[in-house]
Amino acid sequence: MQDIVRRLDTCRVCGRDDWLEVTSFGSVPLANGFLDPADLPAEEPAYPVDVIVCRNCRLMAIRHVIRPDVLFRHYVYVTSESDQMTAHMRRIVGWCTRRAGLAPGELVVELGSNVGLQLALFQEQGQRVVGVDPAENLAEIANARGVRTLPEFFGADQGRRIHAEQGEAKLVLGRQCFAHIDDVHNVLDGATAVLAPDGLVAIEVPYLLDLLEENQFDTIYHEHLSYYSVTTLAHLFARHGLRIVDVERAAVHGGSIVVFAAREGSAHPARPSVNRLLSLERQSGLDSDDAYLAFAERAHQVIRQIGDLVRDLAGRGLTVAGYGAPSKGTTLLQFCELGPAEVRFCSDTTSLKHGRLLPGTRIPCRSPEQARDQQPDYYLLLAWNYADEIISKEQDFLRRGGKFIIPIPQPRVVTAEPVPAVA
Ligand code: TYD
Ligand code: ZN
């Protein structure tokens, strides 16, 4: 059996080994390693979160790579059916349909297709779809809702097989999974094996520039192996005969980019967005070491500030709970060294997490219905990427005097808007 953790020695994009050591966030258990209170281990295995940057292609990565089947074969992350995410998935359909000129009957392949919500939207407008997702539990849900899904890791073999069975794909889509992939070359070999000559590869990843500028340190955990800029993706795609023809920025997951790439020789013209973002990245210093080192310094400062604020509130007898138990939330709590004494519970809509304890901190996770009975004085907004949606639906909590702490870019407290005085 292979070791669970491997050290990234050479860059997964360019193969060089000239690394900038940016920072370490210490050793923590896996962010989605929720625990069953009836079967608690004495100790949870913990792995370092050390951030490095390739001085050649500027890939930002974590040094310790956990074996993918440990992370992704049984996965508790289910695509959110929040209003924001549903609207985004519809936008993705529009963007891809227009750019790839998708017609009914044409094939769309999605890797990391989760429970099939995104592909179902393509199916609704007449496309044939194939999803590929290694999480057997999720692939089963997708198949049950009629979205054909292979419970496998996508790679060269899968790309060739789908091509042989279903023909060319006009679109190969990978949403919020590309940053989880170690052997990106095998995945792009799979994508180019099935892609039509005039087809598009569309990859959505959290945007490195947003991560650095908004101090999103909590999005750095073992599932996220890579943190991409357009610069690095252009470098990667070029190695597979693909060129970036367009980029959209999207507000999901704290700021993401959807990068559209076509075959070198195809007729797709490059849109101005590509050069605009490449120069923005240069202006922001992503090609120098300083931008990463300054981020690390800010991140550690914000970690201290969040920890101090919550410990102070708890010390004064006020109750604090977590809103959401996303992977970034379990990560934030661990980096800030907050446990059940300071954060009583986390409320989350994902039923797979209910009744479980958060990894490392062992804070209990409850359903929103259970949480409603014991509302805290403060909710630490761990799912900060849904801040607008959550704050607007939690107006009652605010009106009753409840407060939110939004942890990043700097911790700040949100209270109810003062009621205007009646004249
Ligand atoms: P997400 O930000 O997608 O997760 P990750 O950091 O793991 O990539 O997940 C948001 C989490 O927040 C998810 O576990 C569901 C939860 N959530 C709520 O509990 N209430 C809400 O209103 C919303 C929008 C999300
Ligand atoms: Zn590199």
Side-chain angles (χ1 to χ4, degrees):
M1 193 163 107
Q2 268 176 292
D3 285 340
I4 282 194
V5 54
R6 136 182 133 78
R7 209 182 124 89
L8 185 65
D9 288 318
T10 54
C11 174
R12 69 168 54 84
V13 169
C14 74
R16 297 264 285 267
D17 63 353
D18 182 10
W19 296 108
L20 166 71
E21 311 265 347
V22 178
T23 190
S24 174
F25 291 109
S27 280
V28 293
L30 302 177
N32 267 318
F34 284 80
L35 302 166
D36 178 354
D39 186 20
L40 280 182
E43 216 179 310
E44 295 155 66
Y47 310 96
V49 182
D50 295 352
V51 183
I52 53 182
V53 167
C54 171
R55 283 206 169 97
N56 178 46
C57 75
R58 292 287 151 184
L59 173 74
M60 185 165 117
I62 53 170
R63 176 72 90 176
H64 295 81
V65 180
I66 307 291
R67 222 174 55 201
D69 59 299
V70 174
L71 291 172
F72 300 118
R73 272 298 182 195
H74 188 93
Y75 202 34
V76 296
Y77 179 85
V78 178
T79 307
S80 165
E81 294 194 51
S82 76
D83 298 348
Q84 184 198 324
M85 206 40 89
T86 308
H88 177 62
M89 287 191 287
R90 293 200 175 279
R91 218 158 36 229
I92 290 277
V93 172
W95 287 345
C96 293
T97 303
R98 226 174 22 253
R99 287 180 175 84
L102 271 182
E106 290 184 319
L107 180 66
V108 176
V109 174
E110 186 182 14
L111 42 134
S113 49
N114 204 273
V115 292
L117 291 177
Q118 179 72 66
L119 282 179
L121 297 177
F122 284 103
Q123 216 164 18
E124 265 174 32
Q125 57 169 31
Q127 273 86 45
R128 288 179 297 128
V129 303
V130 179
V132 186
D133 198 296
E136 286 152 0
N137 57 322
L138 302 183
E140 201 178 305
I141 298 173
N143 281 311
R145 66 152 53 95
V147 176
R148 183 160 170 248
T149 305
L150 311 174
E152 296 174 29
F153 287 97
F154 184 83
D157 291 346
Q158 285 67 22
R160 278 195 291 266
R161 208 167 73 220
I162 296 170
H163 184 247
E165 288 171 8
Q166 305 271 335
E168 289 166 345
K170 206 62 185 287
L171 176 69
V172 177
L173 178 62
R175 287 200 41 232
Q176 301 291 348
C177 60
F178 204 70
H180 301 176
I181 296 166
D182 191 10
D183 189 352
V184 284
H185 296 296
N186 181 37
V187 167
L188 287 177
D189 285 343
T192 50
V194 66
L195 188 70
D198 62 343
L200 286 182
V201 175
I203 297 294
E204 178 185 315
V205 286
Y207 191 23
L208 176 64
L209 194 60
D210 291 318
L211 185 159
L212 298 178
E213 289 185 344
E214 302 288 317
N215 300 334
Q216 296 167 356
F217 64 85
D218 52 350
T219 64
I220 302 179
Y221 49 87
H222 300 104
E223 283 171 26
H224 294 167
L225 302 181
S226 299
Y227 306 84
Y228 286 107
S229 59
V230 179
T231 307
T232 303
L233 286 174
H235 192 107
L236 172 61
F237 287 146
R239 290 176 170 241
H240 293 269
L242 297 169
R243 59 188 167 82
I244 298 182
V245 294
D246 208 352
V247 188
E248 291 275 0
R249 290 181 81 167
V252 295
H253 289 288
S256 296
I257 41 175
V258 185
V259 174
F260 300 88
R263 292 191 188 272
E264 296 289 8
S266 72
H268 289 281
R271 305 276 169 202
S273 59
V274 183
N275 277 329
R276 204 161 51 230
L277 284 171
L278 289 172
S279 47
L280 175 65
E281 291 177 4
R282 265 192 310 276
Q283 281 158 26
S284 309
L286 294 199
D287 53 354
S288 77
D289 293 354
D290 293 351
Y292 306 91
L293 297 172
F295 156 76
E297 203 166 301
R298 290 194 305 276
H300 287 287
Q301 191 183 355
V302 173
I303 288 170
R304 278 192 301 275
Q305 288 168 344
I306 297 167
D308 289 349
L309 172 63
V310 172
R311 275 184 284 271
D312 176 61
L313 294 170
R316 289 195 277 128
L318 294 158
T319 55
V320 184
Y323 200 103
S327 335
K328 68 175 84 61
T330 68
T331 302
L332 180 141
L333 293 164
Q334 301 204 71
F335 289 176
C336 297
E337 298 182 59
L338 293 167
E342 295 91 17
V343 176
R344 303 286 179 84
F345 62 87
C346 288
S347 139
D348 195 283
T349 49
T350 315
S351 53
L352 288 167
K353 298 177 184 175
H354 297 159
R356 306 220 155 216
L357 304 181
L358 271 60
T361 60
R362 305 199 169 189
I363 295 168
C365 181
R366 301 193 177 147
S367 67
E369 293 70 37
Q370 286 173 310
R372 204 152 293 138
D373 300 334
Q374 344 181 0
Q375 290 205 339
D377 298 303
Y378 287 80
Y379 263 127
L380 176 58
L381 189 44
L382 298 170
W384 48 254
N385 45 327
Y386 293 105
D388 293 347
E389 182 170 339
I390 289 171
I391 289 174
S392 75
K393 81 173 173 199
E394 295 295 347
Q395 286 298 312
D396 277 352
F397 167 70
L398 286 167
R399 269 195 292 274
R400 282 198 301 272
K403 299 180 173 72
F404 278 103
I405 303 166
I406 302 190
I408 61 144
Q410 261 88 39
R412 70 188 169 93
V413 173
V414 172
T415 56
E417 295 289 323
V419 182
V422 181

